[in-house]
Amino acid sequence: GINDSPALAQADIGIAMGIKGTEASKEVSDIILKDDNFTTIVKAIEGGRTIYDNIRKFIYYLLVGSLSEVLLIMLAVIVGVNLPLTALMILFINLVTSEFPALGLSVEKANENIMKQRPRNPKEGILSDFVIMRILGTTPIIILGALSLYIWEMFTTANLAKAQTIVFATIIMFELFHAFNAKCWNSSIINKRIFSNVYVIFGVLLAFILTLLVIYLPTLQDVFGTVALNTFDWVLITLVSSSIILFVELKKYALKIEINERKKLELFPTRG
């Protein structure tokens, strides 16, 4: 019912021709094809699916980092120890280093199999149960890693400023590594498309450079309360923070095995 006004009004998404369509059909339609070409609908669907996926990646990436910081501070308050991060450090992470990789994720290219996916439930929210479970399942590794280094530094040197700087750098590095987990939403991080988005790469590098300036530039050290870290500190921070990639990859692999096993257990309608 391309030019049938009652049918267009009743349809979930009414589509009218922009050139040859009647004015009545255009008024009741949700979408008007300006080129009267049905392949445009396919491109629009692909674009919509890509935007939807990128929004979920964006939310997944940002909420994992933000929730980790909140729970880390909350845990320190409950236990009654010195806060592992200062207020300015938290602001810097949220407003500077987290934003650049997230913006890169928002312009991620479409997955090559995106048009082979089943249509999603239109009533499903962006922050679905699946996304929430992914966030809750990834957050503990960041909290555990940052808290472990904080306790270790306080136990060995009792230097609060250095311990806070290590936590500051660790959370940022966790988030920078995690940007690649979010980028490879439904696939392994080990693939040819891992470096395909230059905006993500640029965002990660820019965030890392800004972090180094805050840690090593004397003027910024005074503002943020940071101290210079040595090579051993960075090796330790990198080893701990990069574990988030291994953790997420193992989860993806385990989920893939479970899905394949469940497919084997599905009953065929022709079998009694």
Side-chain angles (χ1 to χ4, degrees):
I2 295 300
N3 285 317
D4 185 352
S5 297
L8 290 169
Q10 290 295 321
D12 293 328
I13 300 177
I15 302 173
M17 296 289 194
I19 299 174
K20 298 180 180 179
T22 63
E23 291 302 319
S25 65
K26 294 178 185 178
E27 289 179 2
V28 298
S29 296
D30 301 291
I31 295 175
I32 300 175
L33 294 177
K34 291 186 176 181
D35 56 4
D36 286 10
N37 190 341
F38 281 102
T39 58
T40 303
I41 300 175
V42 178
K43 294 179 181 178
I45 293 173
E46 182 179 359
R49 289 186 174 190
T50 302
I51 292 171
Y52 182 80
D53 270 1
N54 288 348
I55 291 174
R56 293 211 298 177
K57 292 174 183 178
F58 184 94
I59 291 175
Y60 170 53
Y61 169 73
L62 285 181
L63 288 188
V64 165
S66 299
L67 185 60
S68 300
E69 296 162 33
V70 171
L71 293 178
L72 186 63
I73 297 298
M74 187 181 298
L75 187 60
V77 172
I78 293 173
V79 175
V81 298
N82 291 314
L83 296 180
L85 290 169
T86 66
L88 280 178
M89 288 177 177
I90 295 173
L91 284 174
F92 181 85
I93 294 173
N94 290 334
L95 300 179
V96 181
T97 55
S98 296
E99 295 301 324
F100 295 118
L103 290 173
L105 290 172
S106 68
V107 292
E108 179 70 14
K109 294 180 181 179
N111 186 294
E112 57 186 9
N113 295 319
I114 196 165
M115 291 303 288
K116 296 179 182 180
Q117 297 173 2
R118 294 180 180 180
R120 64 177 177 85
N121 186 343
K123 296 181 180 179
E124 179 186 78
I126 290 179
L127 196 61
S128 62
D129 293 341
F130 175 70
V131 177
I132 292 174
M133 290 306 298
R134 273 200 169 187
I135 293 169
L136 295 179
T138 309
T139 300
I141 191 68
I142 299 180
I143 297 174
L144 181 61
L147 193 59
S148 298
L149 291 184
Y150 178 73
I151 293 173
W152 169 260
E153 189 62 32
M154 290 298 291
F155 180 76
T156 55
T157 66
N159 187 335
L160 178 60
K162 185 175 181 182
Q164 290 177 331
T165 304
I166 286 178
V167 173
F168 172 69
T170 301
I171 289 182
I172 289 175
M173 291 299 290
F174 261 122
E175 292 191 2
L176 298 187
F177 280 117
H178 186 54
F180 295 99
N181 286 331
K183 180 182 185 300
C184 302
W185 178 253
N186 291 317
S187 60
S188 172
I189 196 173
I190 305 172
N191 64 72
K192 61 183 180 181
R193 296 184 71 247
I194 184 63
F195 298 117
S196 61
N197 190 338
V198 295
Y199 298 103
V200 171
I201 304 298
F202 177 76
V204 168
L205 291 175
L206 181 58
F208 182 67
I209 292 171
L210 292 173
T211 301
L212 293 179
L213 292 177
V214 169
I215 293 176
Y216 291 103
L217 201 63
T219 305
L220 294 178
Q221 284 179 340
D222 295 336
V223 174
F224 288 92
T226 57
V227 296
L229 302 178
N230 56 43
T231 304
F232 176 76
D233 295 329
W234 279 109
V235 170
L236 201 59
I237 289 168
T238 303
L239 287 175
V240 172
S241 58
S242 61
S243 65
I244 195 170
I245 290 181
L246 178 62
F247 178 75
V248 173
E249 284 295 297
L250 288 175
K251 284 179 59 180
K252 288 179 183 177
Y253 183 69
L255 182 61
K256 182 180 179 181
I257 293 176
E258 182 176 353
I259 290 173
N260 290 336
E261 187 62 26
R262 286 181 179 274
K263 286 181 179 179
K264 295 178 184 178
L265 299 176
E266 289 180 357
L267 300 179
F268 285 91
T270 56
R271 296 178 183 177

